[in-house]
Each structure stands twice: as C-alpha cells, then as structure tokens.
Amino acid sequence: MALVLNDGQLTTSAASLVTLATASQYLGLTFFNRSSNVTQTVIVQLTRTAAGTARTIMRAVLLPYEALYVRGIGVDREDTLAAYSTQANIVDYTVFIDREESDFSVWTTGADGTRKASTTVSVEVPESRGPDEGQKEMIDLLREAVGLLRKIA
C-alpha cells in the first residue's frame, strides 16, 4: 500500500512534484500519457537539499496511452523531485511513499495495459544503506538505469 503525496499534470517547464519536509523516504512515481496520438517525453529532476542544483535523473519517451512506473527512489529531507513533459496538461503524474522498501525499478506499460518486459530495469540497492547514507550511490544507480533504458528503447 502506498500513501499518495501529490498528483497532477506535467507542464513544459520543470515544476516541483514533491519536497520532503520530514525524514528520508523511498518514493515512487507514475506517469501516464493521456494523448491518443502524441508521443510525450518526460524528464525527471532531483535536487538534493533546498539550495542544491537540479540534476536530470530520468528521461523517458511515452507513446500514446503508455505509462511509466518508477519505484524505490531514495530521497532525503528537503530534497525536491521535479518533472516536465513535451506538452503541458497531457501527462498525469502521481508521487507516493513506497512503504515497501523496494529496489529501484523502472518499467512501462503499453496502451493495452500490459507490462513491457523489454523496458524493465531493476537495480539492487544494499540494505545497509538508506537514503541518508547512500544518496550519491542512488543517483549513480538512477543514471545507470536510465542508460540501460536508452539502450533498449
């Protein structure tokens, strides 16, 4: 079960999806391209602490009616997740607390709702490291996963 922190629609410039005011969390994201005929590019950025620099951690191209699912993003207090898409008000998003400490994973589903196995990436994060201690490692793992997604896309 997940606790939803925020939901809405992406715009064409980076806008905050969530800023954590409390302790470290593992978050999940979902994105859904509601367009029946337009492909959308979704960019996700992470800013560490309130004064940090935004870093792109994910880029995904969603076909019409395709969805993107991301689980196990380790974030700390005052970190901000932001995102944007090719066109405004076409891609719906949801941000939730991932109550099951899962490995970082990314997958998509097609217009028919079936999971696309060819775009699944799962990266194991050592249990001894939480988001407080493993922030740099998590960013490296996210970048590696994005690189793998680009190779199979």
Side-chain angles (χ1 to χ4, degrees):
M1 177 173 223
L3 173 65
V4 174
L5 296 175
N6 196 13
D7 58 26
Q9 294 178 329
L10 297 181
T11 62
T12 56
S13 58
S16 176
L17 303 179
V18 66
T19 298
L20 287 182
T22 60
S24 302
Q25 300 282 344
Y26 283 94
L27 299 182
L29 305 171
T30 62
F31 298 97
F32 178 70
N33 180 3
R34 294 182 303 108
S35 173
S36 62
N37 59 359
V38 179
T39 298
Q40 293 290 311
T41 300
V42 174
I43 306 291
V44 180
Q45 297 177 329
L46 176 63
T47 303
R48 296 289 184 191
T49 72
T53 301
R55 306 283 185 214
T56 298
I57 60 169
M58 183 172 303
R59 177 184 180 274
V61 177
L62 297 179
L63 299 174
Y65 297 124
E66 196 169 60
L68 171 69
Y69 300 87
V70 185
R71 289 195 66 186
I73 299 176
V75 292
D76 198 6
R77 197 171 85 162
E78 296 184 6
D79 289 352
T80 300
L81 277 172
Y84 61 97
S85 61
T86 313
Q87 292 179 314
N89 305 320
I90 302 280
V91 177
D92 293 337
Y93 72 87
T94 304
V95 180
F96 59 93
I97 294 176
D98 202 346
R99 291 188 183 252
E100 301 171 18
E101 260 185 48
S102 62
D103 295 338
F104 173 75
S105 58
V106 179
W107 70 94
T108 60
T109 58
D112 62 358
T114 59
R115 189 171 175 155
K116 292 180 157 184
S118 64
T119 58
T120 301
V121 176
S122 184
V123 181
E124 188 169 329
V125 178
E127 285 185 35
S128 62
R129 291 181 171 229
D132 289 326
E133 301 166 2
Q135 292 174 353
K136 185 173 188 274
E137 182 179 355
M138 181 61 74
I139 290 172
D140 291 341
L141 291 172
L142 287 167
R143 288 184 179 140
E144 180 181 333
V146 169
L148 291 171
L149 280 172
R150 286 181 181 150
K151 287 180 184 178
I152 35 183

